[in-house]
């Protein structure tokens, strides 16, 4: 069996390699774009003030550092388990592997829950407020699960359509910004206004807190490695796709942040769960707010769809590695999709959708993934001694070192985040530890039978 071929549970068909280079680039862009920029921009502005672009610029750099590590590892080990696989190969500590995998899964589900909440918020409020937001969010998750069950090709093609739609929405924002600049509208002085509640230490923690929350907008590139077994020639395809995806989205984010601060004051942005809608209304351009709200709904839908896909593929990959019971790797014979994994993560997402607001769920996602990113960056260095029989991308050593340091700083107490984020993450980890104990007991009983 070659390094690029997937291993599967006995008797189960392999996943279908339906994703080519162009489709993967759009997948990565669509995975990163979405809920973060459309829904949390205002909350970031509330933490940092008018210099909204600064946290997104710092987040862009941190994302590139860690993306380089993921590119090396997915080319070296092109399997679906992602960070869990890399952790196991580097440290060979099953408990640590399980915790990392569980954190990645929970980050995807908290992200999907944030997207579901964003879907039922101010953007949908432009059309209706008849149904309770929680009910709308649950129905939203169930609809995405149905698309995911139908097949990866259908899911990724839906992602392409939604990616193009959400890109059009951000193009509208940038066009409004360009018009404002040429017309002399807006307030350029806001772009250098840091409102972090003080100077010195308070300034540093304020900027880091805003960056940690804003980093939620960049998460997603790591999801794509869980599609490695459904990608054609992953060792060659992933480097270009991930780097292009992060570069394109990072540039767009910084520009959107500049436009948002130029046209709308930070307090107005902070008070809205649809901050970019405020930019459209303030831009002096006759663009229908309802049309932009519709685009935003498509954008958050795309985020949730990909996160549900990621979590289900992670279940599948962990089952192949025997971190989870092998039943989690069961695949529909006709559709060739991991149906048990899809159903499992859908149940969890429905449970999580009522656990917090967009800001708290987004910050929880960032915190969990920053912890994982620190481990992944260290894993790259540990695994340098492990040689494989095929060519793959190799990142300069300095990048994973810097990636680990910056990830730990943004995950640590210097990043001024609310206590409920740590509490929520702690509860999730306790649930993970409980599942680990149960799984070990089942495996031990099976071995002794």
């Amino acid at each position: 069996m070659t390094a690029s071929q997937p291993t599967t549970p006995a008797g189960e068909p392999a996943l279908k390699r339906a994703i080519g280079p162009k489709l993967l680039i759009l997948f990565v862009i669509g995975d990163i774009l979405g809920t973060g920029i459309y829904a949390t921009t205002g909350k970031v502005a509330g933490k940092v003030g008018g210099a909204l672009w600064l946290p997104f610029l710092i987040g862009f750099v941190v994302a590139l550092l860690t993306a380089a590590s993921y590119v090396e590892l997915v080319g070296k080990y092109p399997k679906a388990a992602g960070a869990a696989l890399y952790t196991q190969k580097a440290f060979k500590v099953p408990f640590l592997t399980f915790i990392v995998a569980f954190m990645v899964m929970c980050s995807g589900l908290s992200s999907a829950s944030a997207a579901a909440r964003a879907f039922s918020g101010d953007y949908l409020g432009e059309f209706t407020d008849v149904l309770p937001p929680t009910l709308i969010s649950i129905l939203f998750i169930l609809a995405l699960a149905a698309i995911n069950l139908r097949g990866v090709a259908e899911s990724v093609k839906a992602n392409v359509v939604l990616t193009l739609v959400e890109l059009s929405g951000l193009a509208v924002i940038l066009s409004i910004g360009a018009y404002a600049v040429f017309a002399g509208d807006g307030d350029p002085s806001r772009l250098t206004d840091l409102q972090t509640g003080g100077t010195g230490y308070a300034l540093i923690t304020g900027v880091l807190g805003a960056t940690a929350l804003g980093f939620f907008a960049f998460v997603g590139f790591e999801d794509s490695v869980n599609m490695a077994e459904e990608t054609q020639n992953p060792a060659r395809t992933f480097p270009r796709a991930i780097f292009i995806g992060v570069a394109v989205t990072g540039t767009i984010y910084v520009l959107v942040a500049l436009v948002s601060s130029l046209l709308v004051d930070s307090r107005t942005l902070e008070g809205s769960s649809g901050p970019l809608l405020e930019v459209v209304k303030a831009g002096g351009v006759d663009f229908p707010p309802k049309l932009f709200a519709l685009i935003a709904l498509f954008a958050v839908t795309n985020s949730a769809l990909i996160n549900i896909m990621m979590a289900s593929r992670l279940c599948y990959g962990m089952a192949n590695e025997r971190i989870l019971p092998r039943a989690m790797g069961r695949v529909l014979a006709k559709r060739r999709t991991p149906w048990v994994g899809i159903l499992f993560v859908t149940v969890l997402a429905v449970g999580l959708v009522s656990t917090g607001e967009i800001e708290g769920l987004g910050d929880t996602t960032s915190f969990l993934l920053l912890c994982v990113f620190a481990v992944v960056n260290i894993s790259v260095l540990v695994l340098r001694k492990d040689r494989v029989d095929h060519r793959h991308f190799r990142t300069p050593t300095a990048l994973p070192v810097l990636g680990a340091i910056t990830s730990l700083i943004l995950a640590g107490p210097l990043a001024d985040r609310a206590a409920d984020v740590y509490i929520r993450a702690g509860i999730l980890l306790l649930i993970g530890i409980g599942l680990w104990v149960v799984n070990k007991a089942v495996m031990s009983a099976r071995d002794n039978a």
Side-chain angles (χ1 to χ4, degrees), residues 21 24-25 28-29 237-246:
L24 185 62
I25 291 173
V28 174
I29 292 174
T237 304
F238 270 94
R240 184 181 180 188
I242 290 181
F243 285 132
I244 289 177
V246 174

Side-chain angles (χ1 to χ4, degrees), residues 13-17 230 313 331-338:
L15 298 180
K16 184 178 181 180
R17 292 194 180 275
E230 293 164 279
R313 269 58 183 185
V331 175
L332 282 175
K334 183 177 181 181
R335 305 306 308 180
R336 294 171 70 179
T337 53

Side-chain angles (χ1 to χ4, degrees), residues 29-49:
I29 292 174
D31 203 350
I32 300 173
L33 291 177
T35 305
I37 194 67
Y38 276 92
T40 62
T41 300
K43 306 305 179 185
V44 177
K47 286 178 173 285
V48 79

Side-chain angles (χ1 to χ4, degrees), residues 258-327:
L258 286 167
V259 170
S260 299
S261 289
L262 180 69
L263 295 178
V264 184
D265 68 270
S266 59
R267 295 306 165 205
T268 301
L269 290 172
E270 182 184 13
S272 174
S273 63
L276 298 190
L277 191 59
E278 302 297 332
V279 177
V280 171
K281 292 177 179 178
V285 176
D286 189 20
F287 191 90
K290 286 185 181 297
L291 177 57
F292 186 82
L294 182 62
I295 292 172
L297 291 175
F298 279 119
V300 298
T301 297
N302 203 27
S303 294
L305 172 62
I306 295 177
N307 276 289
I308 293 293
M309 289 176 65
M310 176 278 293
S312 63
R313 269 58 183 185
L314 182 55
C315 283
Y316 170 84
M318 287 192 293
N320 285 348
E321 296 296 323
R322 299 192 179 184
I323 300 170
L324 285 178
R326 300 183 79 175

Side-chain angles (χ1 to χ4, degrees), residues 137-162:
S137 299
I138 292 172
L139 293 175
F140 173 79
I141 292 291
L142 294 177
L144 295 182
I147 295 174
N148 198 4
L149 277 169
R150 180 164 176 79
V152 66
E154 289 78 2
S155 298
V156 176
K157 287 174 183 176
N159 166 255
V160 170
V161 174
L162 295 173

Side-chain angles (χ1 to χ4, degrees), residues 76-77 383-390 392 394:
K76 199 171 185 178
Y77 312 108
L383 289 168
R384 285 285 167 83
K385 65 180 182 295
D386 185 25
R387 304 293 182 179
V388 294
D389 59 2
H390 62 276
H392 61 86
R394 181 185 170 100

Side-chain angles (χ1 to χ4, degrees), residues 340-423:
V340 176
I342 293 170
L343 293 180
F344 177 69
V345 300
T346 299
V347 170
L348 291 181
V350 170
L352 279 172
V353 79
S354 60
T355 63
E357 299 301 323
I358 295 172
E359 181 177 357
L361 290 168
D363 213 351
T364 300
T365 303
S366 294
F367 172 72
L368 290 169
L369 281 180
L370 285 165
C371 293
V372 171
F373 288 172
V375 175
V376 169
N377 280 301
I378 295 170
S379 297
V380 171
L381 302 175
V382 173
L383 289 168
R384 285 285 167 83
K385 65 180 182 295
D386 185 25
R387 304 293 182 179
V388 294
D389 59 2
H390 62 276
R391 298 183 64 182
H392 61 86
F393 174 86
R394 181 185 170 100
T395 184
T397 302
L399 299 189
V401 172
L402 290 173
I405 293 172
T406 53
S407 295
L408 287 172
I409 289 173
L410 290 177
L414 279 178
D416 184 25
R417 57 170 54 89
D420 69 288
V421 173
Y422 295 108
I423 293 171

